[in-house]
Amino acid sequence: GSESPIQFGQINPNIASNFINTLHQDLVLSFPPGFPPSCSPSVPLPFTMSHGTTTLAFIFQGGVIAAADTRSSCNGLVACPASQKILPVHSHLVGTTSGTSADCALWKRILARELRLYQLRHGRRLSTAGAAKLLAHMLHPFKGTELCVAATLCGWDGGERPSLYYVCSDGTRLQGELFSVGSGSPYAYSVLDGGVRWGLTVEEATSLARQAVYRATHRDAYSGNCVDVYHITSKGWARRDREDAEFKSQHP
Amino acid sequence: MEYLIGIQGPDFVLVAADNVAASSIIQMKQDQDKMFKLSDKILLLCVGEAGDTVQFAEYIQKNIQLYKMRNGYELSPTAAANFTRKNLADYLRSRTPYHVNLLLAGFDETDGPGLYFMDYLSALAKAPFAAHGYGAYLTLSILDRYYRPDLTRDEAVELLKKCIEELNKRLIINLPSFSVRLIDKDGIHDLEKLVPVGAK
């Protein structure tokens, strides 16, 4: 299109800092005027973006497990120790988020809206593959801007089988059985590659997911605090109680 | 990191691509298919920047199919290659150029087999053999040395295996497997995946 995508959703920097204050209820943040310095010549960033996270998802005989840490960091500051990085999109689809928290939250909501509209118009739910394609195509116009979303969509398609897709704002869209995303992902990959099998029980899979996130939070400064685990089956998603990463790994 | 290769014979084109989808230092997927079927006898192999590859290749793929629906017949490989190049060229000096390197392989009823090399600057060249990626530096001289225009299918596969073995030996990046396909007058045939083994 002829319209620059940078105009879409552009917000006044003064409004941005108020929005951040209400978003993180635990901490009240106030930024001195003129901070941080803008790195983009075209649109000033309202605040420093940072992408610290560990998220993972894998498929096994019992469905899909999605796990993530809960630390939202802003350079050296832990902006929120209790954030939600796994967001339900609908009853049978869950998305892990990595990248800019605000971008991820917004685009997950837009995706949820578009999927609901599809369901109303066509009388059936869009598959995970379709949802991934929709998200990838919605993010494509923003390629080259500061928008940063790296998500895995974990879902159960049409009562048949589990499905896992990785979608990134640079346009990547991959189908797979195991993904980990974020600054802590290499550490998580190495733990998961040694343990993930199709035949895991639900308890084993949950424990392995927690272990992987814990190991990543141990090594990666930008991941930490607690671990969220979601389990998606033919009946929909179920959320495990949030537990402290360190506690659970030492008391499996 | 990524690798594409094509070898044209007297009545076929043999193409191969690696299977790794990587993000920085991590292999996210080891069974990625980088070949896109444009029509019954045309394949587009596409590597380059992360999102651009699939977006551009699928865009070309759907447009080729649309042409067939509208006009009742398929584009020839030459026409498809020129259409692809035109699109690359149009986007080149826009705000959103596509950074992709392509090989287009096809079989035409009248002209026979054809292999077209395209790069991200929208250059187009019809060539008897071609390669993309760092691996091309290592394998083009093997192709120069051993290629003949009258290669049989088995000889072409052996030549391809020579190239893959050289990559396995010298390339610093490990490429664990390669998809291989052959196009002839009967269409596109999937051949066995090449999996180089053994110590480098």
Side-chain angles (χ1 to χ4, degrees):
Chain A
S2 54
E3 193 184 54
S4 163
I6 298 175
Q7 261 83 56
F8 178 90
Q10 185 176 356
I11 45 179
N12 190 306
N14 298 327
I15 303 172
S17 48
N18 291 337
F19 176 72
I20 296 307
N21 287 341
T22 55
L23 189 65
H24 299 129
Q25 291 126 5
D26 308 24
L27 301 171
V28 174
L29 305 164
S30 58
F31 295 93
F35 167 86
S38 162
C39 49
S40 161
S42 45
V43 56
L45 296 175
F47 51 87
T48 327
M49 315 271 195
S50 189
H51 315 315
T53 221
T54 307
T55 68
L56 61 93
F58 60 88
I59 295 182
F60 68 116
Q61 57 81 19
V64 196
I65 292 278
D69 74 309
T70 60
R71 174 176 289 180
S72 267
S73 53
C74 234
N75 277 354
L77 168 72
V78 177
C80 178
S83 51
Q84 256 218 328
K85 298 190 188 181
I86 308 186
L87 304 170
V89 177
H90 61 64
S91 62
H92 287 72
L93 182 64
V94 136
T96 69
T97 63
S98 167
T100 315
S101 313
D103 286 332
C104 291
L106 171 69
W107 284 99
K108 280 285 154 58
R109 288 196 66 180
I110 292 177
L111 181 67
R113 179 191 73 196
E114 293 303 321
L115 292 183
R116 178 69 180 135
L117 283 171
Y118 184 96
Q119 189 179 5
L120 290 168
R121 285 170 184 150
H122 296 89
R124 64 177 181 91
R125 211 184 278 137
L126 193 54
S127 65
T128 314
K133 198 148 195 172
L134 185 59
L135 183 60
H137 282 268
M138 287 198 292
L139 293 175
H140 184 65
F142 296 89
K143 182 153 183 180
T145 66
E146 299 285 345
L147 190 143
C148 184
V149 172
T152 65
L153 295 178
C154 323
W156 193 281
D157 288 339
E160 289 283 322
R161 60 187 179 282
S163 193
L164 178 58
Y165 274 82
Y166 166 70
V167 180
C168 186
S169 52
D170 67 7
T172 312
R173 187 182 86 248
L174 300 171
Q175 189 264 328
E177 312 228 315
L178 166 66
F179 286 114
S180 178
V181 186
S183 53
S185 66
Y187 310 112
Y189 264 121
S190 39
V191 172
L192 289 169
D193 283 336
V196 166
R197 290 172 292 108
W198 178 261
L200 290 171
T201 67
V202 174
E203 286 310 314
E204 285 172 341
T206 317
S207 161
L208 178 63
R210 258 189 234 286
Q211 266 288 322
V213 176
Y214 166 64
R215 296 284 164 207
T217 58
H218 181 64
R219 283 288 178 184
D220 180 30
Y222 299 107
S223 302
N225 301 107
C226 303
V227 185
D228 275 336
V229 179
Y230 278 66
H231 179 211
I232 301 99
T233 60
S234 56
K235 299 187 181 64
W237 58 261
R239 186 187 169 188
R240 297 306 182 105
D241 285 337
R242 173 176 284 190
E243 296 191 20
D244 188 82
E246 189 146 345
F247 175 84
K248 185 62 184 178
S249 71
Q250 281 159 13
H251 305 78
Chain B
M1 310 278 188
E2 303 178 285
Y3 182 69
L4 299 177
I5 181 173
I7 303 173
Q8 182 197 320
D11 59 350
F12 66 90
V13 188
L14 181 71
V15 287
D18 77 289
N19 291 127
V20 172
S23 173
S24 144
I25 58 165
I26 303 281
Q27 290 183 14
M28 297 210 72
K29 204 165 141 79
Q30 286 95 358
D31 56 358
Q32 175 82 324
D33 190 1
K34 301 184 186 179
M35 305 196 197
F36 296 83
K37 187 175 157 182
L38 297 190
S39 74
D40 286 334
K41 297 193 182 130
I42 306 180
L43 272 178
L44 182 69
L45 286 73
C46 190
V47 292
E49 194 171 323
D52 287 352
T53 49
V54 176
Q55 289 279 2
F56 183 75
E58 286 188 349
Y59 173 71
I60 299 295
Q61 191 182 43
K62 302 315 171 198
N63 270 289
I64 304 279
Q65 287 165 2
L66 181 62
Y67 186 95
K68 182 183 175 181
M69 283 181 214
R70 281 186 176 151
N71 300 289
Y73 63 92
E74 289 181 336
L75 276 173
S76 67
T78 318
N82 278 287
F83 171 73
T84 308
R85 190 215 69 84
K86 181 80 168 72
N87 270 287
L88 266 176
D90 286 340
Y91 279 99
L92 183 61
R93 284 166 211 257
S94 71
R95 277 183 312 104
T96 55
Y98 285 105
H99 199 294
V100 292
N101 293 313
L102 310 163
L103 287 181
L104 190 142
F107 191 92
D108 192 25
E109 300 298 327
T110 38
D111 298 330
L115 177 68
Y116 296 87
F117 170 100
M118 271 173 278
D119 71 3
Y120 69 100
L121 295 168
S122 78
L124 170 66
K126 188 174 190 303
F129 56 85
H132 275 298
Y134 287 122
Y137 289 97
L138 291 167
T139 50
L140 280 172
S141 45
I142 299 178
L143 292 165
D144 284 328
R145 168 108 170 68
Y146 292 107
Y147 176 81
R148 289 184 341 267
D150 59 350
L151 284 173
T152 68
R153 281 151 218 254
D154 290 332
E155 286 172 342
V157 173
E158 284 310 307
L159 181 53
L160 177 63
K161 282 185 181 165
K162 263 203 187 68
C163 293
I164 304 292
E165 273 161 25
E166 180 60 19
L167 291 183
N168 193 34
K169 184 163 191 262
R170 287 286 180 190
L171 196 60
I172 203 174
I173 311 292
N174 176 41
L175 295 172
S177 76
F178 297 82
S179 296
V180 185
R181 289 197 169 97
L182 186 129
I183 310 177
D184 61 11
K185 63 172 172 47
D186 299 320
I188 301 172
H189 310 279
D190 290 347
L191 300 183
E192 213 182 303
K193 258 193 194 175
L194 284 180
V195 180
V197 290
K200 287 191 179 186

